[in-house]
Amino acid sequence: MLQTLKRFAKFSLIWYSQQFAIPFWIVGHVHLHLNNYNDALEFGASILMHVAVALGFYLDWKDSEGDNQ
């Protein structure tokens, strides 16, 4: 059961990164130019979303690396 939950969490993170990377970064760059990030919660949420997308890309790359050999 734990292994299945772990695989599902990995799949979900990869799916999230593939679906939200481009829209998030496009909107994020516009948002960065319009806000000054005085709110620590907003800044922390932005960093967390960037890290989740980056981690999903990394996990997907590691999975696909084995397929190409």
Side-chain angles (χ1 to χ4, degrees):
M1 177 68 177
L2 184 60
Q3 186 66 19
T4 303
L5 189 57
K6 191 174 179 180
R7 283 189 359 235
F8 179 74
K10 182 179 177 181
F11 170 81
S12 297
L13 186 58
I14 291 171
W15 181 87
Y16 169 81
S17 72
Q18 291 172 343
Q19 301 302 313
F20 290 96
I22 293 173
F24 176 70
W25 279 326
I26 289 172
V27 171
H29 282 101
V30 171
H31 184 66
L32 286 173
H33 293 293
L34 299 176
N35 285 331
N36 58 5
Y37 281 107
N38 289 330
D39 187 9
L41 181 63
E42 185 177 345
F43 184 68
S46 177
I47 288 177
L48 183 64
M49 287 185 276
H50 276 85
V51 168
V53 168
L55 184 59
F57 273 131
Y58 175 75
L59 292 173
D60 191 35
W61 174 69
K62 291 302 279 183
D63 282 348
S64 67
E65 189 177 50
D67 296 340
N68 294 332
Q69 292 180 358

